[in-house]
Amino acid sequence: MFTQQLMNGITVGGIYALIALGYTMVYGILKIVNFAHGDVFMMGMFLGMFFTQALGMHYLIAFPLAAAATAFVGICIERIAYRPIRVADKLAVLISALGVSIFLQNFAMLVWGTETHTFNSGIKVQTFRLGSVTLSNIQIGVIVLCCVLMVVLYLVVNKTKIGVAMRATSHSIVSAKLMGINTDKIISFTFGVGSVLACVAGILVGIYYDAVYPTIGYSYGLKAFAAAILGGIGSIPGAMLGGFVIGIVETFGAAYISSGYRDAFAFGILIIVLIFKPSGILGVKHVDKV
Amino acid sequence: MALLEIKDLQVKYGVIPALKGVSFSVEEGEAVALIGANGAGKTTTLHAISGIVKKAGGTITFGGQDITNKPAHEIVGLGISQVQEGRGIFSNLTVLENIRMGAYLRKDAKGIEEDMGRVYRMFPRLEERKSQVAGTLSGGEQQMLAIGRALMARPKVLLLDEPSMGLSPLIVETIFRTIKRLNKEEGMTILLVEQNAQMALYAARRTYIMETGEIVRSGLSKELKNDDAIRKSYLGL
Ligand SMILES: Nc1ncnc2c1ncn2[C@@H]1O[C@H](COP(=O)(O)OP(=O)(O)OP(=O)(O)O)[C@@H](O)[C@H]1O
Ligand SMILES: [Mg+2]
């Protein structure tokens, strides 16, 4: 029972982590919360479904295409909704984000309707037992893919030139520009990467739960946002850790206490952590020498 | 023709004018200082040259090319590097990563290595601390890092914004000796912004004096140094 719940928790946790990375990377660079990110996740899900079902593609072709299309959506959001008001105050950004969120949900309703769709990826669910634990191939896929993507992201951010440019830009856009970094490009890249991760999460949720509907981004987005805050927003390892913590806590809470309070556990732990460590688990307070 | 030519430059923050028609020039190989009190518009001038702030009017030409509305990263590519006020160190990156950042636009790995050696010879302290996170350096070391990093771009002009800020007199002297040597021995063209008029007049051949968004005086540093009005209001003598 315990190990079973742990595996279930890690599975959802990995998904929260993938979405949380988008929140945290954008926050790290622009110091804004992209409240439309949950809907980018939803778009990724629908696009994955669209390419496999409507266009009848094999998932190995459809999913990368969906990821690219979602990246395009994310990059457009930044261009259209955030870039023109980059110097404006944070309230304007928040309102713009909510506008994008409403737009994306309505777009999905218009194109795909308000009903719940099955995902039908063409991937068959197979379960098998390991001792007392039942696992599905999907679950293992989710865990492995989440881990691989996080390692890749870690390497990109820490070992590549564009990664250093991202870290420089997140520290100070002006200083980064003075190094010759095209910061607009870096910002677009960040939105693109965050959106690809959200799309992967969307497709995984689609396969795992086999239910797709236009407002699904709301609850996932909110929990992933909680995960990002919990880990320390702006911190990449923090978002990963926060995602797993929230996934595991909510799964255990639902299993051992009450499934009715499933969502309360995630936010309960968030509140507790914020009371004792407002910057989040791995968050750092910036101390810059002047 | 001057290497860097600023004509009637105007910048506004909202509706408030920060620069009200500033004109000056820097010749190739020359060191020029821009001095003035807090809020005179010195940083704004450098940010305008580097493409960080939008211009409300005027032109900036560099090597005969109009760069008034070029984006910041292209201006760096053309050969203008700025050492920011407050240094602008990436405190979350290591000293080495900061130095490499200065060469961001360069592709010549060999030249980068050479220039790194040159920076380390200029500031041996940086080599000793190259794997340290830059935020843990002392103020003086950070200033050295900022200058070294800017040189990694192999600029044609080096813009320096208050390199003396917040440093002890001894460190200030070291930094200014380095600046002067860069100009005199390596022929680096320098535009220096300072509140420390004494140091600025020491390092620069010519000096412009700025007050509330305008240039009010200019001349050879050695003449301004002996001017009574300037001794009184800027040198406190
Ligand atoms: N981002 C900004 N928004 C609004 N006003 C600004 C901004 N930056 C500078 N200013 C204003 O523009 C004027 C010139 O500022 P600037 O920073 O260029 O002065 P400075 O000469 O560099 O001063 P200091 O010696 O204190 O660095 C000041 O009145 C300042 O308040
Ligand atoms: Mg200034």
Side-chain angles (χ1 to χ4, degrees), chain A residues 158 161-162 164-165 167-183 186 286-290, chain B residues 47 50 52 72-73 76 82 84 87-93 97 101-106 135-138 142 149:
Chain A
N158 289 292
K161 189 161 177 170
I162 196 159
V164 189
R167 285 188 288 149
T169 307
S170 95
H171 187 263
S172 158
I173 290 188
V174 170
S175 301
K177 279 184 176 172
L178 290 174
M179 297 297 108
I181 296 171
N182 184 346
T183 51
I186 298 294
H286 269 291
V287 195
D288 285 321
K289 281 192 190 168
V290 180
Chain B
H47 276 2
S50 286
I52 301 292
H73 62 274
V76 176
Q82 182 183 147
Q84 266 176 283
R87 295 144 210 147
I89 290 300
F90 300 113
S91 55
N92 53 337
L93 306 185
E97 283 175 319
M101 213 66 210
Y104 184 79
L105 291 175
R106 291 174 60 182
T136 60
L137 294 180
S138 75
Q142 288 193 8
R149 183 179 67 176

Short mmCIF file of all heavy atoms in Angstrom, two decimals, chain A residues 158 161-162 164-165 167-183 186 286-290, chain B residues 47 50 52 72-73 76 82 84 87-93 97 101-106 135-138 142 149:
data_model
loop_
_atom_site.label_atom_id
_atom_site.label_comp_id
_atom_site.label_asym_id
_atom_site.label_seq_id
_atom_site.Cartn_x
_atom_site.Cartn_y
_atom_site.Cartn_z
N ASN A 158 22.71 24.72 -17.20
CA ASN A 158 24.00 24.86 -16.54
C ASN A 158 25.22 24.65 -17.41
O ASN A 158 26.30 25.09 -17.06
CB ASN A 158 24.06 23.91 -15.34
CG ASN A 158 23.16 24.39 -14.23
OD1 ASN A 158 23.40 25.41 -13.61
ND2 ASN A 158 22.06 23.67 -14.02
N LYS A 161 25.75 27.43 -23.67
CA LYS A 161 25.89 28.87 -23.79
C LYS A 161 24.54 29.57 -23.61
O LYS A 161 24.44 30.58 -22.92
CB LYS A 161 26.47 29.18 -25.18
CG LYS A 161 26.84 30.63 -25.32
CD LYS A 161 27.80 30.84 -26.47
CE LYS A 161 28.08 32.31 -26.61
NZ LYS A 161 29.16 32.63 -27.51
N ILE A 162 23.51 28.99 -24.20
CA ILE A 162 22.19 29.61 -24.06
C ILE A 162 21.71 29.52 -22.61
O ILE A 162 21.03 30.42 -22.11
CB ILE A 162 21.17 29.01 -25.06
CG1 ILE A 162 19.94 29.94 -25.16
CG2 ILE A 162 20.72 27.61 -24.67
CD1 ILE A 162 19.12 29.76 -26.39
N VAL A 164 23.72 29.68 -19.92
CA VAL A 164 24.38 30.76 -19.18
C VAL A 164 23.70 32.09 -19.50
O VAL A 164 23.48 32.93 -18.62
CB VAL A 164 25.88 30.85 -19.52
CG1 VAL A 164 26.58 31.81 -18.58
CG2 VAL A 164 26.53 29.50 -19.42
N ALA A 165 23.33 32.25 -20.78
CA ALA A 165 22.64 33.49 -21.17
C ALA A 165 21.30 33.60 -20.45
O ALA A 165 20.90 34.70 -20.05
CB ALA A 165 22.44 33.52 -22.69
N ARG A 167 20.64 32.35 -17.48
CA ARG A 167 20.90 32.70 -16.08
C ARG A 167 21.31 34.16 -15.96
O ARG A 167 20.92 34.85 -15.01
CB ARG A 167 21.99 31.77 -15.51
CG ARG A 167 21.43 30.37 -15.22
CD ARG A 167 22.43 29.52 -14.47
NE ARG A 167 23.53 29.12 -15.33
CZ ARG A 167 24.76 28.91 -14.90
NH1 ARG A 167 25.06 29.07 -13.62
NH2 ARG A 167 25.70 28.53 -15.74
N ALA A 168 22.08 34.63 -16.93
CA ALA A 168 22.47 36.04 -16.91
C ALA A 168 21.24 36.94 -17.06
O ALA A 168 21.07 37.91 -16.33
CB ALA A 168 23.47 36.32 -18.02
N THR A 169 20.38 36.59 -18.00
CA THR A 169 19.17 37.39 -18.23
C THR A 169 18.28 37.38 -17.00
O THR A 169 17.69 38.40 -16.65
CB THR A 169 18.40 36.84 -19.45
OG1 THR A 169 19.28 36.76 -20.55
CG2 THR A 169 17.23 37.74 -19.81
N SER A 170 18.20 36.23 -16.33
CA SER A 170 17.35 36.16 -15.15
C SER A 170 17.93 37.00 -14.02
O SER A 170 17.21 37.52 -13.18
CB SER A 170 17.12 34.72 -14.72
OG SER A 170 18.03 34.34 -13.73
N HIS A 171 19.24 37.16 -14.03
CA HIS A 171 19.83 38.01 -13.00
C HIS A 171 19.57 39.48 -13.27
O HIS A 171 19.18 40.23 -12.39
CB HIS A 171 21.32 37.75 -12.89
CG HIS A 171 21.95 38.45 -11.73
ND1 HIS A 171 22.60 39.65 -11.87
CD2 HIS A 171 21.95 38.16 -10.43
CE1 HIS A 171 23.00 40.05 -10.68
NE2 HIS A 171 22.63 39.16 -9.79
N SER A 172 19.81 39.91 -14.50
CA SER A 172 19.54 41.30 -14.86
C SER A 172 19.46 41.44 -16.37
O SER A 172 20.43 41.13 -17.07
CB SER A 172 20.64 42.20 -14.31
OG SER A 172 20.68 43.41 -15.06
N ILE A 173 18.31 41.88 -16.85
CA ILE A 173 18.14 42.01 -18.30
C ILE A 173 19.10 43.06 -18.85
O ILE A 173 19.72 42.86 -19.89
CB ILE A 173 16.67 42.34 -18.63
CG1 ILE A 173 15.81 41.11 -18.34
CG2 ILE A 173 16.53 42.77 -20.09
CD1 ILE A 173 14.38 41.21 -18.79
N VAL A 174 19.26 44.16 -18.12
CA VAL A 174 20.15 45.22 -18.61
C VAL A 174 21.59 44.71 -18.69
O VAL A 174 22.27 44.87 -19.72
CB VAL A 174 20.06 46.48 -17.71
CG1 VAL A 174 21.15 47.48 -18.08
CG2 VAL A 174 18.68 47.13 -17.85
N SER A 175 22.07 44.08 -17.64
CA SER A 175 23.44 43.58 -17.67
C SER A 175 23.62 42.55 -18.79
O SER A 175 24.66 42.54 -19.45
CB SER A 175 23.81 42.93 -16.33
OG SER A 175 23.68 43.86 -15.29
N ALA A 176 22.61 41.71 -18.98
CA ALA A 176 22.71 40.70 -20.03
C ALA A 176 22.80 41.37 -21.40
O ALA A 176 23.61 40.99 -22.24
CB ALA A 176 21.51 39.75 -19.97
N LYS A 177 21.99 42.40 -21.61
CA LYS A 177 22.03 43.12 -22.89
C LYS A 177 23.42 43.71 -23.11
O LYS A 177 23.94 43.71 -24.23
CB LYS A 177 21.02 44.27 -22.88
CG LYS A 177 19.61 43.84 -23.18
CD LYS A 177 18.72 45.06 -23.25
CE LYS A 177 17.31 44.65 -23.64
NZ LYS A 177 16.38 45.77 -23.55
N LEU A 178 24.02 44.22 -22.05
CA LEU A 178 25.33 44.86 -22.18
C LEU A 178 26.44 43.84 -22.47
O LEU A 178 27.56 44.21 -22.80
CB LEU A 178 25.67 45.66 -20.93
CG LEU A 178 24.81 46.93 -20.74
CD1 LEU A 178 25.11 47.59 -19.41
CD2 LEU A 178 25.02 47.92 -21.88
N MET A 179 26.13 42.56 -22.33
CA MET A 179 27.09 41.52 -22.74
C MET A 179 26.90 41.16 -24.21
O MET A 179 27.63 40.33 -24.76
CB MET A 179 26.88 40.24 -21.90
CG MET A 179 27.12 40.39 -20.42
SD MET A 179 28.81 40.84 -20.05
CE MET A 179 28.60 42.53 -19.56
N GLY A 180 25.87 41.72 -24.82
CA GLY A 180 25.59 41.38 -26.21
C GLY A 180 24.55 40.29 -26.36
O GLY A 180 24.35 39.75 -27.44
N ILE A 181 23.88 39.96 -25.25
CA ILE A 181 22.85 38.93 -25.32
C ILE A 181 21.56 39.55 -25.87
O ILE A 181 21.13 40.60 -25.42
CB ILE A 181 22.58 38.34 -23.92
CG1 ILE A 181 23.83 37.62 -23.42
CG2 ILE A 181 21.38 37.39 -23.94
CD1 ILE A 181 23.76 37.19 -21.97
N ASN A 182 20.98 38.87 -26.87
CA ASN A 182 19.69 39.30 -27.38
C ASN A 182 18.63 38.77 -26.40
O ASN A 182 18.14 37.65 -26.53
CB ASN A 182 19.48 38.73 -28.78
CG ASN A 182 18.20 39.22 -29.41
OD1 ASN A 182 17.34 39.77 -28.73
ND2 ASN A 182 18.08 39.01 -30.70
N THR A 183 18.31 39.59 -25.42
CA THR A 183 17.47 39.09 -24.32
C THR A 183 16.05 38.75 -24.78
O THR A 183 15.43 37.86 -24.21
CB THR A 183 17.41 40.11 -23.17
OG1 THR A 183 17.06 41.38 -23.70
CG2 THR A 183 18.74 40.21 -22.45
N ILE A 186 16.20 35.23 -25.74
CA ILE A 186 16.31 34.35 -24.58
C ILE A 186 14.94 34.21 -23.90
O ILE A 186 14.55 33.12 -23.47
CB ILE A 186 17.34 34.93 -23.57
CG1 ILE A 186 18.73 34.99 -24.20
CG2 ILE A 186 17.36 34.12 -22.28
CD1 ILE A 186 19.34 33.66 -24.52
N HIS A 286 17.60 37.30 -2.55
CA HIS A 286 18.69 37.94 -3.26
C HIS A 286 19.40 38.96 -2.39
O HIS A 286 18.79 39.88 -1.89
CB HIS A 286 18.19 38.62 -4.53
CG HIS A 286 18.25 37.70 -5.71
ND1 HIS A 286 19.44 37.30 -6.25
CD2 HIS A 286 17.29 37.08 -6.40
CE1 HIS A 286 19.20 36.47 -7.25
NE2 HIS A 286 17.90 36.32 -7.36
N VAL A 287 20.68 38.73 -2.20
CA VAL A 287 21.47 39.73 -1.50
C VAL A 287 22.52 40.21 -2.48
O VAL A 287 23.48 39.52 -2.79
CB VAL A 287 22.19 39.12 -0.27
CG1 VAL A 287 22.70 40.22 0.64
CG2 VAL A 287 21.24 38.22 0.50
N ASP A 288 22.30 41.37 -3.05
CA ASP A 288 23.26 41.89 -4.00
C ASP A 288 24.06 43.00 -3.37
O ASP A 288 23.52 43.91 -2.77
CB ASP A 288 22.55 42.43 -5.25
CG ASP A 288 22.06 41.31 -6.13
OD1 ASP A 288 22.80 40.31 -6.25
OD2 ASP A 288 20.95 41.42 -6.66
N LYS A 289 25.36 42.89 -3.52
CA LYS A 289 26.21 43.97 -3.02
C LYS A 289 26.10 45.17 -3.95
O LYS A 289 26.02 45.02 -5.16
CB LYS A 289 27.67 43.50 -3.00
CG LYS A 289 27.98 42.63 -1.82
CD LYS A 289 29.47 42.45 -1.71
CE LYS A 289 29.78 41.39 -0.68
NZ LYS A 289 31.18 40.99 -0.74
N VAL A 290 26.09 46.33 -3.38
CA VAL A 290 25.99 47.53 -4.23
C VAL A 290 27.33 48.26 -4.19
O VAL A 290 27.96 48.36 -3.15
CB VAL A 290 24.86 48.47 -3.75
CG1 VAL A 290 24.80 49.70 -4.65
CG2 VAL A 290 23.54 47.75 -3.79
N HIS B 47 23.47 54.81 -20.98
CA HIS B 47 22.43 53.85 -21.37
C HIS B 47 21.87 54.17 -22.75
O HIS B 47 21.45 53.27 -23.47
CB HIS B 47 21.31 53.82 -20.32
CG HIS B 47 21.63 52.91 -19.16
ND1 HIS B 47 22.82 52.22 -19.06
CD2 HIS B 47 20.92 52.55 -18.07
CE1 HIS B 47 22.82 51.50 -17.95
NE2 HIS B 47 21.67 51.68 -17.33
N SER B 50 24.42 52.85 -25.22
CA SER B 50 24.41 51.38 -25.28
C SER B 50 23.09 50.81 -25.77
O SER B 50 22.96 49.59 -25.88
CB SER B 50 24.72 50.81 -23.90
OG SER B 50 26.08 50.97 -23.59
N ILE B 52 20.13 50.96 -24.25
CA ILE B 52 19.28 50.45 -23.17
C ILE B 52 18.01 51.30 -23.02
O ILE B 52 16.95 50.80 -22.71
CB ILE B 52 20.05 50.42 -21.82
CG1 ILE B 52 21.29 49.54 -21.93
CG2 ILE B 52 19.16 49.98 -20.67
CD1 ILE B 52 21.01 48.07 -22.10
N ALA B 72 20.51 46.93 -28.16
CA ALA B 72 21.69 46.89 -27.30
C ALA B 72 22.69 45.82 -27.71
O ALA B 72 23.90 46.08 -27.75
CB ALA B 72 21.25 46.68 -25.85
N HIS B 73 22.22 44.61 -28.02
CA HIS B 73 23.18 43.54 -28.30
C HIS B 73 23.97 43.82 -29.59
O HIS B 73 25.12 43.41 -29.70
CB HIS B 73 22.50 42.18 -28.32
CG HIS B 73 21.45 42.02 -29.38
ND1 HIS B 73 20.14 42.41 -29.17
CD2 HIS B 73 21.52 41.54 -30.62
CE1 HIS B 73 19.46 42.16 -30.28
NE2 HIS B 73 20.26 41.63 -31.17
N VAL B 76 26.84 46.27 -28.76
CA VAL B 76 27.99 45.57 -28.18
C VAL B 76 28.80 44.93 -29.30
O VAL B 76 30.03 45.02 -29.32
CB VAL B 76 27.52 44.49 -27.17
CG1 VAL B 76 28.71 43.70 -26.64
CG2 VAL B 76 26.75 45.11 -26.02
N GLN B 82 30.08 48.46 -22.02
CA GLN B 82 29.84 49.32 -20.88
C GLN B 82 30.09 48.59 -19.56
O GLN B 82 29.66 47.46 -19.38
CB GLN B 82 28.39 49.83 -20.89
CG GLN B 82 28.13 50.79 -19.75
CD GLN B 82 26.70 51.30 -19.62
OE1 GLN B 82 26.23 51.53 -18.53
NE2 GLN B 82 26.00 51.50 -20.73
N GLN B 84 28.85 48.84 -16.05
CA GLN B 84 27.70 49.49 -15.44
C GLN B 84 27.98 50.13 -14.10
O GLN B 84 28.87 49.69 -13.36
CB GLN B 84 26.64 48.43 -15.15
CG GLN B 84 25.61 48.23 -16.20
CD GLN B 84 24.71 47.09 -15.80
OE1 GLN B 84 25.09 45.93 -15.92
NE2 GLN B 84 23.54 47.39 -15.30
N ARG B 87 28.46 48.07 -11.06
CA ARG B 87 29.21 46.95 -11.64
C ARG B 87 28.42 45.95 -12.46
O ARG B 87 28.94 45.34 -13.37
CB ARG B 87 29.98 46.16 -10.56
CG ARG B 87 31.04 47.02 -9.94
CD ARG B 87 31.20 46.73 -8.47
NE ARG B 87 31.63 47.90 -7.76
CZ ARG B 87 31.29 48.20 -6.52
NH1 ARG B 87 30.50 47.39 -5.85
NH2 ARG B 87 31.72 49.28 -5.97
N GLY B 88 27.17 45.70 -12.09
CA GLY B 88 26.37 44.78 -12.90
C GLY B 88 26.94 43.39 -13.03
O GLY B 88 26.80 42.72 -14.06
N ILE B 89 27.59 42.93 -11.96
CA ILE B 89 28.14 41.58 -11.96
C ILE B 89 27.01 40.57 -11.86
O ILE B 89 26.00 40.83 -11.22
CB ILE B 89 29.06 41.44 -10.72
CG1 ILE B 89 30.33 42.27 -10.89
CG2 ILE B 89 29.39 40.01 -10.39
CD1 ILE B 89 31.14 41.87 -12.07
N PHE B 90 27.17 39.43 -12.53
CA PHE B 90 26.20 38.35 -12.35
C PHE B 90 26.58 37.61 -11.08
O PHE B 90 27.41 36.71 -11.10
CB PHE B 90 26.19 37.42 -13.56
CG PHE B 90 25.81 38.13 -14.83
CD1 PHE B 90 26.73 38.30 -15.85
CD2 PHE B 90 24.54 38.66 -14.99
CE1 PHE B 90 26.38 38.95 -17.01
CE2 PHE B 90 24.18 39.32 -16.16
CZ PHE B 90 25.11 39.48 -17.16
N SER B 91 25.97 38.01 -9.98
CA SER B 91 26.41 37.48 -8.69
C SER B 91 26.07 36.01 -8.53
O SER B 91 26.59 35.34 -7.67
CB SER B 91 25.83 38.30 -7.55
OG SER B 91 24.43 38.36 -7.67
N ASN B 92 25.17 35.51 -9.39
CA ASN B 92 24.81 34.09 -9.31
C ASN B 92 25.73 33.21 -10.16
O ASN B 92 25.65 32.00 -10.11
CB ASN B 92 23.35 33.89 -9.75
CG ASN B 92 23.06 34.50 -11.12
OD1 ASN B 92 23.76 35.40 -11.58
ND2 ASN B 92 22.04 34.01 -11.79
N LEU B 93 26.61 33.84 -10.95
CA LEU B 93 27.56 33.07 -11.76
C LEU B 93 28.95 33.15 -11.14
O LEU B 93 29.23 34.04 -10.34
CB LEU B 93 27.61 33.61 -13.19
CG LEU B 93 26.30 33.73 -13.98
CD1 LEU B 93 26.58 34.17 -15.40
CD2 LEU B 93 25.54 32.43 -13.98
N GLU B 97 32.67 32.36 -15.25
CA GLU B 97 31.48 32.48 -16.10
C GLU B 97 31.21 33.94 -16.44
O GLU B 97 30.81 34.27 -17.56
CB GLU B 97 30.25 31.87 -15.41
CG GLU B 97 30.21 30.35 -15.46
CD GLU B 97 29.06 29.76 -14.66
OE1 GLU B 97 28.75 30.25 -13.56
OE2 GLU B 97 28.45 28.80 -15.15
N MET B 101 31.24 35.52 -20.11
CA MET B 101 30.04 36.25 -20.53
C MET B 101 30.43 37.48 -21.35
O MET B 101 29.72 37.86 -22.29
CB MET B 101 29.32 36.70 -19.26
CG MET B 101 27.86 36.74 -19.39
SD MET B 101 27.31 35.06 -19.60
CE MET B 101 25.94 35.37 -20.54
N GLY B 102 31.54 38.09 -20.97
CA GLY B 102 32.00 39.28 -21.69
C GLY B 102 32.32 38.98 -23.14
O GLY B 102 32.24 39.84 -24.00
N ALA B 103 32.67 37.73 -23.41
CA ALA B 103 33.03 37.33 -24.77
C ALA B 103 31.86 36.64 -25.46
O ALA B 103 32.05 35.89 -26.42
CB ALA B 103 34.25 36.40 -24.73
N TYR B 104 30.67 36.90 -24.98
CA TYR B 104 29.48 36.19 -25.45
C TYR B 104 29.33 36.19 -26.97
O TYR B 104 28.95 35.19 -27.55
CB TYR B 104 28.23 36.82 -24.81
CG TYR B 104 26.95 36.11 -25.16
CD1 TYR B 104 26.60 34.92 -24.51
CD2 TYR B 104 26.09 36.59 -26.13
CE1 TYR B 104 25.43 34.25 -24.82
CE2 TYR B 104 24.92 35.93 -26.46
CZ TYR B 104 24.59 34.76 -25.80
OH TYR B 104 23.43 34.11 -26.11
N LEU B 105 29.64 37.31 -27.61
CA LEU B 105 29.41 37.40 -29.05
C LEU B 105 30.58 36.90 -29.88
O LEU B 105 30.51 36.84 -31.10
CB LEU B 105 29.10 38.85 -29.44
CG LEU B 105 27.75 39.40 -28.96
CD1 LEU B 105 27.64 40.87 -29.29
CD2 LEU B 105 26.60 38.62 -29.58
N ARG B 106 31.68 36.55 -29.21
CA ARG B 106 32.86 36.15 -29.97
C ARG B 106 32.88 34.66 -30.25
O ARG B 106 32.38 33.86 -29.48
CB ARG B 106 34.12 36.56 -29.20
CG ARG B 106 34.30 38.06 -29.16
CD ARG B 106 35.45 38.45 -28.28
NE ARG B 106 36.71 37.88 -28.72
CZ ARG B 106 37.84 38.06 -28.06
NH1 ARG B 106 37.87 38.77 -26.95
NH2 ARG B 106 38.96 37.52 -28.52
N GLY B 135 29.23 36.87 -6.56
CA GLY B 135 28.58 37.65 -5.52
C GLY B 135 29.37 37.71 -4.23
O GLY B 135 29.14 38.58 -3.38
N THR B 136 30.33 36.79 -4.06
CA THR B 136 31.09 36.76 -2.82
C THR B 136 32.38 37.60 -2.92
O THR B 136 33.13 37.68 -1.95
CB THR B 136 31.48 35.32 -2.44
OG1 THR B 136 32.28 34.77 -3.49
CG2 THR B 136 30.25 34.45 -2.25
N LEU B 137 32.64 38.21 -4.07
CA LEU B 137 33.83 39.05 -4.20
C LEU B 137 33.64 40.36 -3.43
O LEU B 137 32.51 40.82 -3.24
CB LEU B 137 34.10 39.39 -5.67
CG LEU B 137 34.47 38.27 -6.62
CD1 LEU B 137 34.68 38.83 -8.01
CD2 LEU B 137 35.73 37.55 -6.16
N SER B 138 34.73 40.97 -3.06
CA SER B 138 34.65 42.29 -2.43
C SER B 138 34.29 43.31 -3.50
O SER B 138 34.39 43.04 -4.70
CB SER B 138 36.00 42.65 -1.81
OG SER B 138 36.90 43.01 -2.83
N GLN B 142 34.96 43.08 -7.47
CA GLN B 142 33.84 43.09 -8.42
C GLN B 142 34.04 44.14 -9.51
O GLN B 142 33.71 43.93 -10.66
CB GLN B 142 32.52 43.37 -7.69
CG GLN B 142 32.06 42.21 -6.84
CD GLN B 142 30.62 42.34 -6.38
OE1 GLN B 142 29.88 43.23 -6.80
NE2 GLN B 142 30.21 41.44 -5.49
N ARG B 149 35.68 41.87 -17.58
CA ARG B 149 34.62 41.26 -18.37
C ARG B 149 34.31 42.11 -19.61
O ARG B 149 34.14 41.60 -20.71
CB ARG B 149 33.38 41.12 -17.49
CG ARG B 149 32.22 40.44 -18.15
CD ARG B 149 31.05 40.33 -17.22
NE ARG B 149 30.48 41.64 -16.89
CZ ARG B 149 29.39 41.81 -16.15
NH1 ARG B 149 28.77 40.77 -15.63
NH2 ARG B 149 28.94 43.02 -15.90
#
